[in-house]
Amino acid sequence: MSYNVQPLRTQQEINDFLFCLRRNKNADRDVFLFLIGINSGLRMSDIVKLKKQDLISSKNPRIVEKKTGKTRILYLSSLQDLILEYTKDLAPEDYLFPSTKGGHVEVNTVYQMFQKVAKLLGRDDIGTHTLRKTFGYHYYKKTKDVATLMEIFGHSSEKITKRYIGINEDEISETLLNFRLGF
C-alpha cells in the first residue's frame, strides 16, 4: 500500500473533518490544532511543539522549523480572535497542544487521531501532512501564486510544489479548457 496523503480540497471536506474532531474527548485542542495547521502550512512536528508565547509574541510571530532549521514567519492575523480565545487561560510557556500524559501531544498521536477521522469519512488518504497540503492547495487555488507557495514550503521547484499539493491533470486540464492564443 502506498502512502498517498491528499489535501482536503473542498470546504465540505474541511467541514466534515471538523465535525468529526468536535466529537473528540479533547475537541477544543484538536480543532484548534487543525485550524492552525490548515491556516499556516506548518509541518505537524512544528505545530505540536508550539507554546502560547510562540503565537502571541507578535502580530507575525517567527518560529524555527524543526526539519529545515529555517526561521519561518507565521501570518495568522486572520486567526487572532481564535488564538486569543483559545490561549486566554494558558501561561506563556504552556504548550498549545498538551498531551494528557504531560508535555505536548506527539505527531504519532495526531496521526492516529486523523486515522480515526479518515475511517469515519471513508478515506484512506489522510495523514498529518493533510493539513499542510490543504493549506497549500487552497492557497494555490486562491492566488495561483506557486512562487510564493514554494517559498512558504521551502521547495526547490514549482513541479515539486504542485505535485505536493495535488494539482493533478484534471485541474491542469480544467485551467487550459478555454485557453487559446493567436485566434
Side-chain angles (χ1 to χ4, degrees):
M1 181 176 121
S2 66
Y3 188 64
N4 183 27
V5 173
Q6 294 296 314
L8 302 172
R9 288 184 167 85
T10 66
Q11 186 61 49
Q12 187 60 53
E13 289 177 329
I14 292 170
N15 292 344
D16 291 346
F17 206 96
L18 282 166
F19 178 84
C20 293
L21 289 178
R22 287 187 175 112
R23 273 118 196 97
N24 286 355
K25 180 180 173 189
N26 296 298
D28 290 344
R29 178 197 71 186
D30 299 345
V31 167
F32 188 63
L33 180 144
F34 177 82
L35 293 173
I36 291 293
I38 66 170
N39 285 285
S40 70
L42 287 173
R43 289 178 186 88
M44 191 55 64
S45 57
D46 293 321
I47 294 172
V48 296
K49 66 178 187 173
L50 288 172
K51 295 182 176 185
K52 178 179 179 176
Q53 62 199 9
D54 296 328
L55 293 192
I56 63 165
S57 59
S58 74
K59 186 174 182 176
N60 295 318
R62 298 168 190 268
I63 66 157
V64 176
E65 292 181 317
K66 181 179 176 182
K67 180 177 179 179
T68 65
K70 294 179 183 175
T71 298
R72 167 99 181 266
I73 299 171
L74 303 180
Y75 298 96
L76 299 173
S77 57
S78 64
L79 298 181
Q80 282 308 303
D81 291 346
L82 179 67
I83 291 168
L84 291 173
E85 176 62 27
Y86 181 82
T87 62
K88 70 179 185 239
D89 296 326
L90 299 177
E93 66 279 358
D94 286 348
Y95 285 110
L96 294 177
F97 310 109
S99 168
T100 55
K101 301 171 185 165
H104 61 75
V105 68
E106 296 294 328
V107 172
N108 191 50
T109 304
V110 176
Y111 175 79
Q112 290 170 1
M113 172 186 27
F114 284 6
Q115 288 302 291
K116 289 177 185 172
V117 171
K119 188 173 182 179
L120 289 170
L121 297 175
R123 295 186 61 158
D124 64 357
D125 59 355
I126 301 292
T128 56
H129 258 43
T130 293
L131 306 188
R132 183 170 160 89
K133 289 184 176 194
T134 298
F135 166 83
Y137 178 85
H138 288 276
Y139 180 89
Y140 178 78
K141 293 296 274 186
K142 183 175 182 176
T143 67
K144 301 295 189 236
D145 184 357
V146 74
T148 300
L149 189 54
M150 278 174 51
E151 181 76 21
I152 290 168
F153 280 164
H155 290 164
S156 58
S157 77
E158 287 186 14
K159 184 178 178 181
I160 290 170
T161 300
K162 285 183 174 180
R163 186 176 65 232
Y164 182 80
I165 62 174
I167 299 298
N168 58 28
E169 290 178 24
D170 292 344
E171 291 162 321
I172 292 169
S173 175
E174 181 183 312
T175 64
L176 294 173
L177 185 62
N178 295 313
F179 183 82
R180 292 172 54 166
L181 297 173
F183 290 81

